């Protein structure tokens, strides 16, 4: 069966069985980026269809070509480096690649609209929102100013922005991230497009907001019968919203089919690996995460055979030689794996993809008599000035951390979760004394950290280390990996000389899964995951007892994320480390933590052992958070009620009186507005701050 | 009337070809724009010392006498119609012109002369007269009638008559001085050919024709515009014709550039200049307290060769002693060659210099030579001197300082050697020799050197009314000064003026303080 | 603002007094090498109050300052405020013209350079702007004058004509120094505009604008340039320091009777009160320019306006 013939059969039917001609049909698309180091083959021969009114997902890790294929549709590749070198993009009856620049301009915004990943940077900061919405109208329609404004108003109402009349004249910075993404959607909808391409539309948003936005997009697409292409790395999002899924790996299409088929019967080892490496909220945490070892191939010189072969546990000799074609394994379900049929017939284990032995982790024995770290009524407030220059209006106080108390015991991992701005990172920074505490106390191993002298602090710093979120900006680009890891050891005199330090660095690099020869490389020569391993090695160099992990995996791709989490777990076991694990991803926190604290607007809302917290959340906020997280299982998602938590996180400059959550809480009553709820033990070892419990 | 150019005349870079020596009828009208490369702090003649003051202010005043513009150092009456000096040299009687009026219309009388000279010799009520000492021989001033002034001296003074022609001795209105002795500091009101028009600080000065000027149909100009600009912009302005002249002097390089760019209508007037560069040695600081070292420094300098070469690049040209060569009281060439350091046999001089240094035990002497950081003529002369001293094995460091630091260094007692300068409005020994009298008595002898014999000779020459007698006293003094070598004369300046041909009847003189009343100057079409 | 000025005042006052060199009286009376008796010098010192202890001089100066009196020039005896006043218009005009010229040159050139990045247009513009950084303004000024002189046998008028009196004459005098100073200014701004636009054109909202189907030239003009302006404004503000430095020498070269030339003269004369007044003026000018830049920021960037 030829590739095209196969696709045509696949394209003839939808999951629901309706037969329609595709709205968008990408055929055998090839995109190259010409760089100084050579030609990057960013997209190689991918094809997919989008039918009217359908939601199609393109899934893959960063660099796989999913965004590039979308930008190619809009013909918005960066010039002159990016160019489409082959294939066609049929939109209705036109090949978009053959349109003139001006004809293409007319298609953009009018027939195909696009929503981008970063709502914070995708809107022009110096133009009012209203103008940015109506601009699309003026570009494509002959319309009066008043009518355009009326339409903009209507659109803002449609995307659920309160007080739209006033907001039209405001600027992007006056909107929260979620609201900006709503504005982006309003802009996309302005000219009633037939297709919206959404490139990671919710990645930058908090879970509760993500849920709101995705719900809105799905509703609108249904109501207005707009087809959508959602490009994402988040399998949960795919499961919840997509009709059909395309999985891309290293510029190639790996697998495509209905969402139901992909999740229930994945037939490509990469898809299988992806699904297994994500920590799941819907399944008990029994074992370590399964990882996909290694890195995606370099697209400057991709391997001849299957792109995934190098990392594939089902690899055969043929895989290295031959690029497997995309073939149907069942109706409407195509995969590019030589062993797909074998897999379908004999199961995963037969091809070597059995789940590794389920190694039940023994429950850690933790001595709860004496905490290693103790926070007592910690407050960290920031003073910010408003206004400009010497016209400063006055000062305001941001209560980033407001009365937070908890304990961390030796050998355990305390997870600290919350949405952005909840103060979780400030807690970490205050412990590290990178921020000045306003009041309260921090005791480390019984020693007062806030009152520590410079000399005492130097000793403490060795025992308390940190791993940062962004592995790139936290490594000095002008130092080699070796120098970066040597330096603290020499500063603290842990190694007698540079040679000894370098030997130790080699050991450390090995222990985080790197190679000792990498000591001579510079950070930019490493991948994101490798850099994060370096960050961990650096933290380990001082033989600390306690490590603050500040969003250590959130910048990483799913498969890499799993690797890092596993390393952290191994190291904890090996060295008896204690972690404060700060993250926004509830599933990741659940996976790694022994106990979990949930923060909201500078306060801890709930704190408990992991399983009680996830299985039986007490606080309404925790409940809402867990509810908002999409689960990578379309069937399960279909059954969930999707009670989306409304509203936004209030500004920390002006937090609500009483319970800070009362503005969004479904249980809130009058007294919640008056009284700051006591953080108390609801059940044994299960604490929450809510008067309704 | 004819046009006489004092020393040299050049037209458009071609030497010779003097300007038509035929008499020309002066033309009335026109405003003369000229450049002044500095700006006076205030308007008081008696309290100023700079040419920057003379050039814009002098045209508004008259003096009792003045130097004849085209035949320096001859003297003629300005406000005085005639004068008489008694045989004992003690009584000077001036008959004043009648019908002279001040710019405010008031009549000029002998009272004004008396009031002005009283202010010069003995200023009262905070008025400043810088040159008072030069007039200390005046005992009394009488005004027998409105147009006669009698000045009585306590002792004869050979310089006195010429001093009454000083461009600084502006005659003020007695009435104004009575009102406020400091009135002239802020106001200009004289009897001169031009009234004060405007002064925009930092920019320019405007003089307007005084319609009631006493001297016939003079001045010829409708006015003048003195523009304060210096350095390269000044030369550019002259080249571009924005100004027609600058009356201080140009370097040879600027002269050539100007002649080149102005072309046919460039007029060059040159003259020896009553300005000198002197090596001042701090005699209070060893080894300069040793006369042998000082003499060696003088002997090492080949002034003749220096003058010949330096005149091409710097505004110096003439080899002379204490007085300007060419001046009637100056040493003749033969006399000069007899003096220490002026021998034509430079090799012998340098040999002697080395011997002297050896005797003093200073063969490898090294010192710092303070100089002014003004390129013309200080830098080339400084470099020249240091090179000359290198010939006798000395290692000299050239330290060029900004004027404020340079002056304070010379006036201080910490410097070792420096290049000093001295200019005055005439060659008169009473003025020129002040540099050489004892440091105790002269504020401009920075060497710390005192010598009663020299001071006595100075005193005697100033009282000597007979020229030959005066000459011989001065020679004696000159010999001692040369032998003592505390202030060592090097090379005298040479004044080069380039102006546009349109400017007529202006004459160069050995002083840039003279010939600036602009009464006779006129502009051709 | 007040503490800054006070600091500047104290610093300049005492720094001047510890600097070596003749004082103003010596310069005025003995500057030409004249034989002036010491008692006259002393009398003048007393008249100018220079005989007082430095601290007393300071307080009497500060006393005047608090009442808005900058004192009298020790050289001319006229009020410092008057001396500054008559020169301010010229310097202000040159500074303004240089700035306007720089902006007029920089924005289009920088934008062109960015749009036609790595083409010959970009190369030429970059050569021109790098030359602007390399060429000192006074040297460029001399070249301009020599060019005018040799080619047109003309030099700009020497004395200042206010713009309102005779605009043509005024411009014919001041355009050249403005050019000499503004060239460097424009070079810096051109480079900043170029890199700023290049950077902005990579921004997500530019992609958004294109995805909306906005015409490319509007993408550059409406979405690109306005955002690119902020760093350019910053640079223009910072470069104002160089502008004043440039004025000091350029006013010499063009023989302009402005603040810059007065500065040089006052320092050469040891005119303390004048130097003090000038330094304060420059400090005030700096503060004002920075304030203006802040206001401009607010005008261009709503994020600043509303925060």
């Amino acid at each position: 069966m030829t590739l095209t013939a196969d696709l045509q059969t696949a394209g003839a039917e939808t999951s629901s069985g309706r037969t329609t001609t595709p709205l968008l049909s990408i055929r055998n698309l090839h995109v190259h980026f010409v760089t100084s180091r050579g030609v990057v083959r960013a997209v190689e021969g991918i094809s997919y269809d989008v039918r009217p009114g359908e939601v199609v997902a393109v899934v893959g890790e960063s660099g796989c070509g999913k965004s590039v294929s979308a930008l190619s549709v809009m013909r918005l590749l960066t010039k002159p480096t990016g160019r489409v070198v082959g294939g066609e993009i049929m939109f209705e009856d036109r090949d978009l690649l053959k349109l003139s620049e001006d004809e293409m301009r007319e298609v953009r915004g009018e027939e195909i609209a696009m929503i981008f990943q970063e709502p914070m940077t995708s809107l022009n900061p110096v133009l009012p929102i209203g103008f940015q919405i109506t601009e699309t109208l003026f570009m494509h329609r002959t319309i009066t100013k008043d009518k355009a404004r009326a339409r903009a108003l209507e659109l803002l109402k449609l995307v659920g922005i309160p007080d739209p009349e006033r907001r039209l004249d405001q600027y992007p910075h006056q909107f929260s991230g979620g609201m900006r993404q709503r504005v982006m959607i309003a802009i996309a909808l302005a000219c009633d497009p037939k297709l919206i391409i959404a490139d990671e539309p919710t990645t930058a948003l908090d879970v509760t907001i993500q849920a709101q936005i995705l719900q809105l997009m799905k509703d609108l697409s249904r109501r207005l019968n707009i087809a959508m292409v959602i490009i994402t790395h988040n399998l949960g999002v795919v499961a919840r919203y997509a009709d059909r899924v395309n999985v891309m790996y290293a510029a190639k299409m790996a697998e495509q089919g209905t969402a139901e088929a992909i999740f229930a019967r994945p037939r490509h080892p990469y898809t299988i690996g992806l699904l297994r490496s994500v920590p799941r909220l819907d399944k008990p945490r029994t074992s370590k995460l399964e990882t996909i070892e290694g890195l995606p191939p370099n697209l400057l010189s991709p391997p001849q055979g299957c792109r995934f072969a190098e990392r594939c546990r089902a690899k055969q000799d043929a895989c290295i030689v031959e690029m497997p074609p995309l073939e149907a394994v069942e109706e409407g379900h195509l995969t590019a794996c030589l062993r797909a049929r074998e897999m379908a017939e004999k199961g995963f284990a037969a091809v070597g993809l059995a789940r590794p032995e389920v190694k039940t982790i023994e429950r850690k024995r933790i001595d709860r008599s004496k905490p290693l770290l103790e926070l007592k009524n910690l407050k960290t407030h920031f003073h910010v000035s408003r206004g400009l220059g010497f016209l400063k209006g006055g000062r305001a106080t941001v209560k980033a951390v407001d009365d937070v108390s908890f304990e961390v015991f030796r050998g355990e991992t305390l997870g600290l979760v919350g949405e952005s701005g909840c103060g979780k990172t400030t807690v970490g920074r205050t412990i590290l004394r990178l921020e000045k505490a306003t009041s309260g106390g921090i005791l480390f191993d019984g020693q007062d950290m806030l009152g520590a002298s410079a000399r005492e602090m130097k000793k403490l710093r060795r025992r308390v280390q940190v791993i940062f979120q962004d592995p790139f900006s936290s490594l000095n680009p002008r130092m080699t990996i070796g120098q970066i890891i040597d330096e603290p050891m020499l500063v603290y005199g842990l190694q007698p000389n540079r040679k000894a330090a370098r030997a130790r660095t080699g050991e450390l690099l090995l222990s985080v899964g790197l190679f000792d020869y990498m000591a001579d490389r510079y950070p930019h020569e490493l991948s994101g995951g490798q850099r994060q391993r370096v960050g961990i090695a650096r933290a380990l160099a001082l033989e600390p007892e306690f490590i603050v992990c500040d969003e250590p995996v959130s910048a990483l791709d799913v498969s890499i994320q799993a690797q890092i989490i596993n390393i952290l777990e191994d190291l904890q076991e090996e060295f008896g480390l204690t972690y404060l694990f700060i993250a926004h991803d509830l599933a990741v926190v659940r996976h790694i933590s022994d106990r979990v604290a949930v923060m909201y607007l500078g306060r801890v809302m709930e704190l408990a052992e992991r399983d009680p917290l996830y299985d039986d959340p007490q606080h309404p906020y925790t409940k809402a958070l867990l509810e908002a997280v999409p689960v990578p299982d379309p069937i399960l998602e279909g059954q969930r009620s999707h009670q989306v938590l409304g509203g936004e996180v209030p500004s920390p400059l002006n937090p609500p009186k009483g319970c800070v959550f009362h503005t969004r809480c479904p249980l809130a009553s009058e007294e919640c507005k008056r009284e700051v709820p006591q953080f108390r033990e609801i059940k044994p070892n299960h604490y929450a701050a809510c008067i309704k419990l | 009337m004819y046009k006489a150019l004092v020393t040299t005349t050049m037209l458009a870079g071609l030497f010779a070809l003097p300007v038509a020596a035929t008499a020309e009828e002066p033309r009335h009208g026109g405003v003369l724009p000229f450049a002044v490369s500095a700006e006076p702090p205030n308007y008081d003649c008696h309290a100023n010392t700079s040419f920057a003051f003379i050039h814009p202010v002098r045209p508004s005043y008259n003096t009792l006498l003045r130097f004849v513009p085209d035949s320096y150092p001859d003297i003629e009456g300005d406000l005085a119609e005639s004068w008489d000096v008694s045989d004992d040299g003690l009584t000077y009687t001036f008959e004043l012109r009648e019908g002279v009026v001040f710019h405010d219309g008031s009549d000029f009388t002998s009272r004004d002369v008396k009031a002005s000279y009283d202010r010069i010799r003995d200023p009262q009520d905070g008025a400043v007269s810088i040159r008072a000492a030069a007039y200390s021989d005046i005992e009394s001033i009488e005004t027998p009638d409105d147009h006669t002034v009698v000045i009585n001296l306590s002792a004869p003074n050979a310089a006195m008559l010429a001093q009454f022609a000083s461009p600084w001795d502006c005659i003020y209105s007695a009435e104004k001085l009575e009102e406020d002795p400091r009135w002239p500091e802020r106001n200009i009101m004289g009897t001169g050919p031009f009234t004060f028009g405007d002064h925009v600080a930092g920019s320019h000065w405007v003089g307007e024709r005084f319609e009631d000027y006493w001297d016939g149909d003079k001045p010829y100009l409708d006015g003048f515009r003195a523009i304060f600009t210096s350095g390269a912009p000044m030369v550019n302005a002259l080249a571009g014709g924005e100004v027609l002249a600058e009356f201080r002097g140009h370097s040879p390089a600027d002269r050539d550039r100007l002649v080149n760019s102005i072309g046919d209508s460039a007029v060059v007037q040159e003259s020896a200049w009553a300005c000198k560069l002197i090596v001042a040695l701090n005699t209070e600081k060893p080894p300069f307290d040793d006369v042998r070292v000082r003499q060696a420094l003088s002997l090492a300098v080949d002034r003749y060769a220096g003058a010949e070469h330096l005149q091409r690049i710097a505004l110096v040209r003439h080899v002379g002693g204490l007085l300007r060569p060419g001046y009637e009281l100056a040493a003749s060439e033969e006399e000069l060659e007899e003096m220490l350091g002026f021998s034509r046999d430079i090799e012998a001089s340098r040999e002697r210099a080395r011997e002297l240094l050896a005797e003093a035990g200073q063969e490898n002497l090294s010192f710092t030579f303070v100089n002014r950081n003004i390129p013309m003529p200080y830098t080339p002369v400084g470099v020249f001197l240091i090179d000359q001293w290198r010939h006798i094995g000395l290692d000299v460091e050239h330290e060029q300082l900004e004027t404020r630091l340079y002056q304070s260094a010379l006036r201080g007692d910490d410097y070792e050697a420096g290049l000093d300068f001295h200019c005055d409005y005439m060659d008169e020994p009473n003025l020129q020799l002040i540099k050489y009298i004892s440091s105790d008595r002269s504020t401009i002898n920075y060497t710390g050197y005192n010598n009663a014999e020299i001071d006595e000779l100075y005193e005697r020459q100033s009282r000597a009314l007979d020229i030959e007698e005066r000459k011989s006293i001065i020679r004696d003094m000159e010999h001692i000064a040369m032998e003592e070598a505390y202030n060592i004369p090097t090379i005298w300046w040479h004044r080069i003026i380039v102006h546009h041909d349109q400017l007529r009847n202006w004459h160069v003189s050995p002083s840039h303080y003279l010939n600036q009343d602009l009464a006779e100057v006129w502009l051709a079409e | 603002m007040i503490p800054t000025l006070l600091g500047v005042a104290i610093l300049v006052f005492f720094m001047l007094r510890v600097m070596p060199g003749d004082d103003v009286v010596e310069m005025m009376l003995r500057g030409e090498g004249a034989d002036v008796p010491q008692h006259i010098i002393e009398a003048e010192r007393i008249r100018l109050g220079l005989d007082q202890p430095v601290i007393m001089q300071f307080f009497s100066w500060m006393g005047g300052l608090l009442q808005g009196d900058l004192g009298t020039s020790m050289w001319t005896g006229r009020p410092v405020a008057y001396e500054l006043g008559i020169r301010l218009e010229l310097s202000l005009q040159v500074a303004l013209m240089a700035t306007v010229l720089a902006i007029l040159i920089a924005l289009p050139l920088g934008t062109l350079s960015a749009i036609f990045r790595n083409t010959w247009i970009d190369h030429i513009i970059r050569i021109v702007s790098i030359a602007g950084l390399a060429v000192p303004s006074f040297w460029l000024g001399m070249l301009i004058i020599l060019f005018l002189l040799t080619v047109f046998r003309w030099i700009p008028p020497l004395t200042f004509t206010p713009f309102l009196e005779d605009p043509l004459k005024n411009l014919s005098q001041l355009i050249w120094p403005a050019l000499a100073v503004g060239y460097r200014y424009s070079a810096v701004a051109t480079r900043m505009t170029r890199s700023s636009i290049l950077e902005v054109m990579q921004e997500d909202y530019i992609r958004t604008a294109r995805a909306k189907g906005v015409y490319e030239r509007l993408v550059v003009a409406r979405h690109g340039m306005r955002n690119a302006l902020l760093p350019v404004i910053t640079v223009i503000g910072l470069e104002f320091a160089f502008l004043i430095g440039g004025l000091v020498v350029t006013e010499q070269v063009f023989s302009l009777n402005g603040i810059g030339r007065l500065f040089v003269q006052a320092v050469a004369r040891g005119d303390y009160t004048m130097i003090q007044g000038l330094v304060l003026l420059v400090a005030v000018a700096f503060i004002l320019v920075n304030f203006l830049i802040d206001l401009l920021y607010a005008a261009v960037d709503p994020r600043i306006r509303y925060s």
Side-chain angles (χ1 to χ4, degrees), chain B residues 194-377:
Chain B
F194 295 92
T195 60
F196 173 71
D198 190 16
H199 174 204
V200 177
S203 172
H204 61 279
W205 183 293
V206 177
E208 287 158 2
R209 186 175 194 273
F210 179 34
E211 299 299 336
D212 296 327
Y213 189 57
W214 52 266
D215 191 5
D217 55 358
K218 291 175 196 163
Y220 300 120
L221 298 173
D222 285 343
F224 66 86
R225 193 176 171 84
I227 292 158
F228 302 115
T229 175
S230 61
M234 181 267 281
V235 177
N236 290 331
L238 193 48
E242 271 287 305
V243 295
L244 297 181
E246 191 278 340
F247 295 119
R248 181 169 178 272
H250 303 290
S251 70
D254 284 345
R255 170 193 63 203
D256 297 344
R257 210 200 113 194
L258 283 168
V259 165
N260 200 2
S261 66
I262 298 172
D264 286 351
S265 58
V267 176
V268 180
Q269 300 193 39
E270 299 192 12
S271 163
W273 201 343
C275 286
K276 56 193 177 265
L277 286 174
I278 298 160
V279 176
L281 300 174
N282 187 351
T283 64
E284 285 170 333
K285 197 163 180 133
F288 304 104
D289 55 344
D290 187 332
V291 70
R292 291 169 300 188
V293 174
R294 301 202 300 261
Q295 286 179 344
L297 289 182
S298 180
L299 285 164
V301 180
D302 186 352
R303 294 167 173 82
Y304 300 101
E308 195 183 323
H309 296 300
L310 282 170
Q311 64 173 278
R312 290 186 211 136
I313 56 163
L315 42 80
V316 294
R317 177 171 291 187
H318 312 279
V319 179
L322 303 195
L323 296 174
R324 179 179 64 87
Y327 173 54
E328 57 177 337
L329 291 174
S332 69
E333 227 168 285
E334 295 74 33
E335 286 170 325
L336 204 58
E337 283 172 22
E338 296 298 307
M339 291 186 207
L340 185 117
F342 286 83
S343 163
R344 292 263 178 195
D345 186 355
I346 186 64
E347 284 318 313
S349 297
R350 286 193 182 142
E351 191 49 43
R352 175 79 191 120
R354 285 187 205 101
E355 284 169 25
L356 286 167
L357 284 177
E359 281 172 35
Q362 295 291 343
E363 293 99 325
N364 298 314
L365 173 62
S366 73
F367 61 90
T368 302
F369 188 58
V370 175
N371 200 353
R372 196 173 180 181
N373 72 343
I374 289 180
M376 205 42 70

Side-chain angles (χ1 to χ4, degrees), chain B residues 109-126:
Chain B
T109 67
S110 54
R111 264 184 68 228
D112 302 313
V113 176
K114 177 175 160 57
S116 298
Y117 270 97
D118 280 342
R119 187 176 189 270
I120 289 168
R121 68 192 180 99
D122 184 17
Q124 300 293 323
D125 303 317

Side-chain angles (χ1 to χ4, degrees), chain C residues 16 26 35 74-75 96 110 167 170-171 200 234 273 306:
Chain C
L16 280 177
E26 292 277 0
D35 171 30
M74 293 178 167
W75 180 264
L96 206 71
N170 169 282
L171 289 180
V200 164
T234 312
T273 39
Y306 292 95

